[in-house]
Coordinates of all heavy atoms in Angstrom, one line a residue:
G168 N -30.8 -6.0 -3.1 CA -31.0 -7.3 -2.9 C -32.4 -7.5 -2.2 O -33.0 -6.5 -1.8
S169 N -32.9 -8.8 -2.1 CA -34.1 -9.0 -1.3 C -34.1 -10.4 -0.8 O -33.4 -11.3 -1.3 CB -35.3 -8.7 -2.2 OG -35.5 -9.8 -3.1
C170 N -35.0 -10.6 0.1 CA -35.2 -12.0 0.8 C -36.6 -12.3 0.8 O -37.4 -11.5 1.4 CB -34.6 -11.9 2.2 SG -34.8 -13.4 3.1
S171 N -37.0 -13.4 0.2 CA -38.4 -13.7 0.2 C -38.8 -14.5 1.5 O -38.0 -15.0 2.2 CB -38.8 -14.5 -1.1 OG -38.4 -15.9 -0.8
S172 N -40.1 -14.6 1.7 CA -40.6 -15.4 2.9 C -40.3 -16.9 2.7 O -40.3 -17.7 3.6 CB -42.1 -15.1 3.1 OG -42.8 -15.4 1.9
R173 N -40.1 -17.3 1.5 CA -39.7 -18.7 1.2 C -38.2 -18.9 1.5 O -37.7 -20.1 1.2 CB -40.0 -19.1 -0.2 CG -41.6 -19.0 -0.5 CD -41.8 -19.4 -2.0 NE -41.1 -18.6 -2.9 CZ -41.4 -17.4 -3.3 NH1 -42.6 -16.9 -2.8 NH2 -40.7 -16.7 -4.1
G174 N -37.5 -17.9 1.8 CA -36.1 -18.1 2.1 C -35.2 -18.0 0.9 O -34.1 -18.5 0.9
E175 N -35.7 -17.4 -0.1 CA -34.9 -17.2 -1.4 C -34.3 -15.8 -1.5 O -35.0 -14.8 -1.2 CB -35.8 -17.5 -2.6 CG -36.1 -19.0 -2.7 CD -37.4 -19.2 -3.6 OE1 -37.8 -18.2 -4.2 OE2 -37.7 -20.4 -3.8
L176 N -33.1 -15.7 -1.8 CA -32.4 -14.4 -1.9 C -32.3 -14.0 -3.4 O -32.0 -14.8 -4.2 CB -31.1 -14.4 -1.2 CG -30.9 -14.9 0.2 CD1 -29.5 -14.8 0.7 CD2 -31.9 -14.2 1.1
S177 N -32.5 -12.7 -3.6 CA -32.3 -12.2 -4.9 C -31.3 -11.0 -4.9 O -31.3 -10.3 -3.9 CB -33.5 -11.7 -5.6 OG -34.5 -12.7 -5.6
F178 N -30.4 -10.9 -5.9 CA -29.4 -9.9 -5.9 C -29.4 -9.1 -7.2 O -29.6 -9.7 -8.3 CB -28.0 -10.5 -5.7 CG -27.9 -11.1 -4.3 CD1 -28.1 -12.4 -4.1 CD2 -27.6 -10.3 -3.2 CE1 -28.0 -13.0 -2.8 CE2 -27.4 -10.8 -1.9 CZ -27.6 -12.2 -1.7
N179 N -29.1 -7.8 -7.1 CA -29.1 -6.9 -8.3 C -27.8 -7.2 -9.1 O -26.7 -7.3 -8.5 CB -29.1 -5.5 -7.8 CG -29.2 -4.5 -8.9 OD1 -28.8 -4.7 -10.0 ND2 -29.9 -3.4 -8.5
Y180 N -27.9 -7.4 -10.4 CA -26.8 -7.8 -11.2 C -25.8 -6.6 -11.2 O -24.6 -6.9 -11.5 CB -27.2 -8.1 -12.6 CG -27.6 -6.9 -13.5 CD1 -26.8 -6.6 -14.6 CD2 -28.7 -6.1 -13.2 CE1 -27.1 -5.5 -15.4 CE2 -29.0 -5.0 -14.0 CZ -28.2 -4.7 -15.1 OH -28.5 -3.7 -15.9
L181 N -26.2 -5.4 -10.9 CA -25.2 -4.3 -10.9 C -24.3 -4.3 -9.7 O -23.4 -3.4 -9.6 CB -25.9 -2.9 -11.0 CG -26.7 -2.7 -12.3 CD1 -27.4 -1.4 -12.3 CD2 -25.7 -2.7 -13.5
L182 N -24.4 -5.3 -8.8 CA -23.5 -5.4 -7.7 C -22.1 -5.5 -8.2 O -21.2 -5.2 -7.5 CB -23.9 -6.5 -6.8 CG -25.1 -6.4 -5.8 CD1 -25.6 -7.7 -5.2 CD2 -24.7 -5.4 -4.7
K183 N -22.0 -6.0 -9.4 CA -20.7 -6.3 -10.0 C -19.9 -4.9 -10.1 O -18.7 -4.9 -10.2 CB -20.8 -6.9 -11.4 CG -19.5 -7.3 -12.0 CD -18.7 -8.3 -11.2 CE -17.3 -8.5 -11.7 NZ -16.5 -9.1 -10.8
M184 N -20.6 -3.8 -10.1 CA -20.0 -2.5 -10.2 C -19.4 -2.1 -8.8 O -18.6 -1.1 -8.8 CB -21.0 -1.4 -10.6 CG -21.4 -1.5 -12.0 SD -22.4 0.0 -12.5 CE -22.5 -0.2 -14.2
L185 N -19.9 -2.6 -7.7 CA -19.4 -2.2 -6.4 C -18.2 -2.9 -5.9 O -17.9 -4.0 -6.3 CB -20.6 -2.4 -5.4 CG -22.1 -2.0 -5.8 CD1 -22.9 -2.1 -4.6 CD2 -22.0 -0.7 -6.4
P186 N -17.5 -2.2 -5.0 CA -16.4 -2.9 -4.4 C -16.8 -4.1 -3.7 O -17.9 -4.1 -3.0 CB -15.9 -1.8 -3.3 CG -16.5 -0.5 -3.7 CD -17.8 -0.8 -4.4
P187 N -16.0 -5.2 -3.7 CA -16.4 -6.5 -3.1 C -16.8 -6.3 -1.7 O -17.7 -7.0 -1.2 CB -15.2 -7.4 -3.3 CG -14.5 -6.7 -4.5 CD -14.7 -5.3 -4.4
W188 N -16.2 -5.5 -0.8 CA -16.5 -5.4 0.6 C -17.9 -4.9 0.7 O -18.6 -5.2 1.7 CB -15.5 -4.6 1.4 CG -15.3 -3.1 1.0 CD1 -14.6 -2.6 0.0 CD2 -16.0 -2.0 1.5 NE1 -14.7 -1.3 -0.1 CE2 -15.6 -0.9 0.9 CE3 -17.0 -1.9 2.6 CZ2 -16.1 0.4 1.2 CZ3 -17.4 -0.6 2.9 CH2 -17.0 0.5 2.2

Side-chain angles (χ1 to χ4, degrees):
S169 77
C170 174
S171 79
S172 53
R173 296 179 306 278
E175 291 163 359
L176 307 185
S177 302
F178 295 94
N179 191 327
Y180 77 114
L181 292 179
L182 282 169
K183 187 60 193 168
M184 287 191 173
L185 311 192
W188 63 274

